[in-house]
Amino acid sequence: MLSLLDLRRRIDSGELSASDAIRQSLQAIGERDGALKAFASVDRSAVAGHGLLAGVALGVKDIIDTADLPTEMGCKAIYGSWRPRADAAIVSLAKMAGATVVGKTETTAFAFLDPAPTLNPHRADRTPGGSSSGSAAAVAAGLVPLAIGTQTGGSVIRPASFCGVAAIKPSFRLLPTVGLKTSAWTLDTLGLMAASVADCAYALEAISGREMRLPDDPGAPRFALARQRFAGDAAPEGEAALEKAARLAEKAGATVVEIDLPRPFADAWAIHGTVQNYEIRVSMAWEYLNRRADLPPRIGGLLDEAQSIRASDYDAVRGAARRARLAAKDFFAEHGVDAILTYSAPGAAPDRSTTGDPRFNKLLTLLGAPCVNVPGLVSGDSLPVGVQVVAPFGRDAQALRAAAWLERIVRA
Amino acid sequence: MLSLLDLRRRIDSGELSASDAIRQSLQAIGERDGALKAFASVDRSAVAGHGLLAGVALGVKDIIDTADLPTEMGCKAIYGSWRPRADAAIVSLAKMAGATVVGKTETTAFAFLDPAPTLNPHRADRTPGGSSSGSAAAVAAGLVPLAIGTQTGGSVIRPASFCGVAAIKPSFRLLPTVGLKTSAWTLDTLGLMAASVADCAYALEAISGREMRLPDDPGAPRFALARQRFAGDAAPEGEAALEKAARLAEKAGATVVEIDLPRPFADAWAIHGTVQNYEIRVSMAWEYLNRRADLPPRIGGLLDEAQSIRASDYDAVRGAARRARLAAKDFFAEHGVDAILTYSAPGAAPDRSTTGDPRFNKLLTLLGAPCVNVPGLVSGDSLPVGVQVVAPFGRDAQALRAAAWLERIVRA
């Protein structure tokens, strides 16, 4: 993988020019993306910018508007060659920080569950995960040092786990969603993927304008080990990764307390689907009414089913989300923990008939809490399996700190 | 004005066909909009739909995406002839309810303060208000029975007051903003304008899928008369309208208690600008970076100034908005009132060099509370002056009930 911080150090020292860094990424894409299929479109004339992210080649998920490249939403039948007038806010912010958009990354259609064409760089018969499939694969394959994804259920943390890259899904609306194709407006969250947690922190600071950089010695965190049992069991390799991370963390001086998440969290987990599906039905009303036949099977089927969800069903369940957000505030203080440690995904990447299961991500998206995928662990057959570090809403720097500490331990 | 409920009664009784109702609106637009300039574009081939809003000709503010008509954002220099791929969610919902989009209504550029070309139907030298200028004027002039606007500061309630139409700015996100050109994502709220409060209630129920219809006898409400003194004084005709409404309400059996809004409301009012301007700066980053010279003076100047607002400034003031939302919950219960009665605007419509002042609307937009403009009162020189009825967040039906009761009293 391309370390963003290492790249920046080499550019700052004059060893590498920002332009050469961009050219290297474009060349790598040209040579290797034909097989990987991480990119939906590439800007071969992209040039380097100026600022904290100068020389950083950026992949942008293809449900995010770009004025200079097509935005096809993973569904050429409806959005083939579609070219928005303006860049999404996140694209402008990244460019203002100096990043260079080298291409749009493949997404599942409308960021739902129909697989994208992208392969998992670790094994071609496995999914890279979804819906930010191309973003995770592009970083994992070393094509770019930074990519933008989005998560409504588990679409940043899950592909990051399957591809073995670091990722942060920040607090809800820390990154602006203006110019993103909306799935569910109370859930859709932009996220960043990079080679390491420290890379994510540097990029999040540069793009969001908030202080995120890590202290040299972050200090051992206090973790609540939470299995989210209401979401079902993890696969053996997911369980093994979580146990190994907890054991290594404890050995290195962290406090790790096993705590079951209390009732309001289970209730909120259970209603994520109603919130998501009702909002998707409203957001995609035009596509459903006018282009049903052009929708791939999973998003089409979801919309068929979602037509029967009434506004009153949706209104009735939203209290559970509110109560869980309040409970989350108390949870961290009450137990004196810095972060929750939980599964990023049930296990390693499954085969390509699916994009994997977001069941350990849905609650955390609904809470709006900052979540970090910590890479570095592998399954028995050498596939990446991440673990997830979660801090309270608004404490993104705290999530990154705990995750960076853990990453150092599990990679050691 | 065209009464939506009357139109629907005539269609239901067979006296008028839905198609003829649409044709009448198109004909009225053709004959009279050349002078009024309420419409930015018109679909002369529009046909009637089926459902609760069959036969209802709808004007849609031109910052709301439509697949079949241009969406020019009030700024042809940047968005001239721009045609989105999809309809905004609100447009799809209105069509599903049977409404017919007969045209896009004029908006100030990017829903900010540069005047639109539209005239006030009551006097050509006055502003119709902004930013939903065309929507208010089109309803006031009897061209359409229903129009959609948006409010970030005071852009639904203020033009409704200046043009003498009823309007509801519902609770935040009751109407989905997917496909709306974003100004400020924590403030932007869609609203409906029509000839009467009962028309607004009928349309809001049909579009939102929530129960909003009014009881035959709503019963006299308990009002808190709140002048929002932190926002400065109203003009004499605004003050006279509020006093008259309060006096008539009391005479007709309502309880009217004068209450100063406590400190958290003043604090929230004071930070609306920071929240709004920072978010506009982020939302319009592409336009600012790429098309600064094409922006009209007020939005251009705002963006110049807003570049100096830092993320930390924005983060620092958001607590005041949260505290005011909590205070609003308590306020209604503590004082035992159904609704706040306050100014819709400082006074009657000023001249066309401005779109008027949103200072009595900003707090209420930030609170996300449902606000209704009650028309029917006039200034000494016969210009409309509305008053505003505000209920707690999520109690849209309660706001409409109190407003409908008051409308009946002031029109009597």
Side-chain angles (χ1 to χ4, degrees), chain B residues 87-113:
Chain B
D87 284 338
I90 187 73
V91 171
S92 289
L93 291 180
K95 286 180 177 175
M96 285 166 78
T100 297
V101 179
V102 294
K104 302 297 287 290
T105 52
E106 290 284 3
T107 174
T108 65
F110 304 105
F112 198 60
L113 297 172

Side-chain angles (χ1 to χ4, degrees), chain B residues 21-324:
Chain B
I22 299 303
R23 264 194 293 273
Q24 281 177 12
S25 272
L26 284 170
Q27 192 179 340
I29 294 167
E31 287 167 9
R32 292 152 54 203
D33 198 56
L36 186 65
K37 300 188 171 65
F39 281 87
S41 60
V42 178
D43 181 358
R44 300 198 186 281
S45 64
V47 296
H50 302 279
L52 292 168
L53 296 179
V56 174
L58 175 67
V60 175
K61 185 176 182 178
D62 207 22
I63 59 162
I64 298 170
D65 282 356
T66 44
D68 303 323
L69 283 167
T71 302
E72 303 188 317
M73 318 296 181
C75 184
K76 285 190 205 296
I78 305 178
Y79 285 90
S81 304
W82 173 243
R83 186 74 67 100
R85 176 64 49 100
D87 284 338
I90 187 73
V91 171
S92 289
L93 291 180
K95 286 180 177 175
M96 285 166 78
T100 297
V101 179
V102 294
K104 302 297 287 290
T105 52
E106 290 284 3
T107 174
T108 65
F110 304 105
F112 198 60
L113 297 172
D114 300 280
T118 314
L119 311 186
N120 188 315
H122 294 272
R123 194 163 330 153
D125 63 344
R126 301 297 177 102
T127 178
S131 60
S132 308
S133 318
S135 292
V139 170
L143 303 183
V144 290
L146 184 66
I148 299 176
T150 68
Q151 173 158 324
T152 304
S155 289
V156 167
I157 298 300
R158 173 165 107 261
S161 178
F162 291 168
C163 291
V165 305
I168 179 162
K169 177 205 81 62
S171 295
F172 186 65
R173 293 285 183 271
L174 182 80
L175 295 175
T177 55
V178 178
L180 166 70
K181 175 73 179 159
T182 304
S183 294
W185 55 89
T186 63
L187 298 168
D188 295 347
T189 310
L190 287 152
L192 303 179
M193 298 173 172
S196 73
V197 174
D199 287 355
C200 288
Y202 179 88
L204 186 60
E205 173 161 326
I207 294 174
S208 76
R210 273 88 169 180
E211 216 168 293
M212 295 291 164
R213 262 178 270 193
L214 302 170
D216 286 335
D217 177 12
R222 293 157 299 173
F223 285 115
L225 178 64
R227 284 193 169 71
Q228 306 190 60
R229 293 189 194 281
F230 43 77
D233 290 335
E237 71 270 20
E239 185 56 41
L242 186 66
E243 274 169 19
K244 186 165 182 191
R247 205 172 57 240
L248 291 171
E250 251 184 329
K251 224 170 117 185
T255 306
V256 181
V257 198
E258 183 152 2
I259 309 177
D260 277 348
L261 295 179
R263 180 63 186 271
F265 294 97
D267 292 346
W269 181 84
I271 58 92
H272 173 279
T274 304
V275 172
Q276 173 189 276
N277 298 349
Y278 177 79
E279 293 187 1
I280 291 181
R281 167 204 163 172
V282 171
S283 301
M284 292 191 56
W286 181 83
E287 287 83 359
Y288 188 73
L289 292 173
N290 297 279
R291 307 294 294 267
R292 173 65 188 87
D294 291 321
L295 292 168
R298 292 182 207 203
I299 183 65
L302 172 86
L303 286 169
D304 287 340
E305 276 177 41
Q307 301 308 308
S308 65
I309 310 175
R310 288 163 307 179
S312 57
D313 301 331
Y314 171 72
D315 292 341
V317 301
R318 292 173 67 197
R322 250 190 333 270
R323 284 188 293 276

Side-chain angles (χ1 to χ4, degrees), chain A residues 171 332 338-340 368-372 389-396 398-400:
Chain A
S171 294
F332 290 90
D338 301 307
I340 291 170
C371 299
V372 180
V389 168
V390 184
F393 175 81
R395 303 287 184 79
D396 298 75
Q398 182 173 317
L400 288 161

